[in-house]
Amino acid sequence: MPCYGKLSSSLFLGLLLLLVSSGTRAAEISVRNPNLSAGDDGYTLAADFNINLNARLDEAIAKGITLYFVVDFELSRARWYWLDEQVISRSQTYQLSYHALTRQYRLSSGALHQSFSTLDDAQRILSRLRNWQVLDKGSVKADQTYLAAVRMRLDLSQMPKTFQVNALANRDWNLSSDWARWNFTPVETAPSTVTGTPTLLVPSTDAK
């Protein structure tokens, strides 16, 4: 009987842990289809992100806490005689928030912003990066191969100081994609394309 009781307790505990873990949704970001396109003024970046928030982050947004998502871009060039040369490093911040008075979710970047009725709609636009000019004309040399890299991360350093202490100590808030890296070779002449502000905020057309 004592052995049977211990076995039953172990099975019950294991089942309980399984139920708890299955009900926990992990937060994660991944990058898909990164691409650099040539334009009159340089090169623009496009990428798609799979963004999955967990229950803690959903709750934080619902309580009015602004989340700061940062897209980082880097371009480097290999050198056989020394460390790789970093050609450029750029970052762009997007703020995701909820306004209780209007019951609207807001996605902002600099002076641009757009409102949505659901969090899913806001995330759908946040996941589509388009027309971010990351390289100026003449900053790269034709026929040389570079290594491009992009990622998205949740930046806790931009949140209120009193909130950062708890967030930094909780892994539910550690949200960042891996770097997506690909080889990039500039073209001799750049065809005419639309360039400008990265348009995470417009569903199907460029921001004006």
Side-chain angles (χ1 to χ4, degrees):
M1 288 296 292
C3 293
Y4 177 77
K6 290 182 180 179
L7 179 61
S8 299
S9 299
S10 299
L11 289 175
F12 176 76
L13 179 59
L15 180 60
L16 180 62
L17 291 174
L18 178 63
L19 291 174
V20 171
S21 62
S22 63
T24 303
R25 177 161 49 97
E28 60 180 1
I29 303 177
S30 59
V31 187
R32 297 183 296 112
N33 308 319
N35 180 60
L36 287 169
S37 300
D40 289 337
D41 299 323
Y43 288 85
T44 61
L45 175 67
D48 297 317
F49 303 94
N50 291 326
I51 305 172
N52 296 312
L53 304 181
N54 57 30
R56 188 179 296 275
L57 296 178
D58 286 344
E59 182 183 5
I61 295 175
K63 290 183 176 180
I65 297 173
T66 299
L67 300 185
Y68 296 84
F69 291 88
V70 177
V71 179
D72 297 315
F73 171 78
E74 293 184 355
L75 190 75
S76 59
R77 184 171 62 91
R79 295 185 294 193
W80 63 269
Y81 59 89
W82 196 243
L83 299 176
D84 290 353
E85 174 191 6
Q86 186 174 64
V87 179
I88 198 166
S89 178
R90 294 184 183 274
S91 296
Q92 182 76 26
T93 299
Y94 300 91
Q95 302 175 33
L96 179 59
S97 58
Y98 176 70
H99 297 261
L101 292 178
T102 60
R103 296 183 180 180
Q104 294 281 306
Y105 294 88
R106 173 174 288 191
L107 186 60
S108 306
S109 176
L112 298 177
H113 69 269
Q114 189 171 348
S115 296
F116 305 89
S117 57
T118 68
L119 179 58
D120 286 342
D121 289 340
Q123 282 187 233
R124 189 176 302 113
I125 304 307
L126 180 63
S127 68
R128 299 181 69 250
L129 173 64
R130 298 293 184 271
N131 297 330
W132 181 19
Q133 184 168 320
V134 291
L135 297 172
D136 297 330
K137 187 175 182 180
S139 60
V140 290
K141 299 179 181 179
D143 300 327
Q144 288 196 5
T145 299
Y146 297 84
L147 181 63
V150 63
R151 71 174 178 179
M152 178 184 279
R153 57 188 171 87
L154 180 63
D155 188 3
L156 300 180
S157 67
Q158 299 192 52
M159 305 181 73
K161 296 295 183 183
T162 54
F163 188 83
Q164 287 183 31
V165 177
N166 292 330
L168 289 171
N170 194 316
R171 65 179 183 178
D172 288 345
W173 289 86
N174 296 329
L175 183 58
S176 176
S177 72
D178 293 330
W179 285 98
R181 304 180 189 275
W182 72 101
N183 289 329
F184 164 66
T185 303
V187 296
E188 185 68 33
T189 58
S192 177
T193 59
V194 177
T195 62
T197 303
T199 55
L200 280 177
L201 305 179
V202 182
S204 58
T205 59
D206 296 333
K208 298 181 179 179

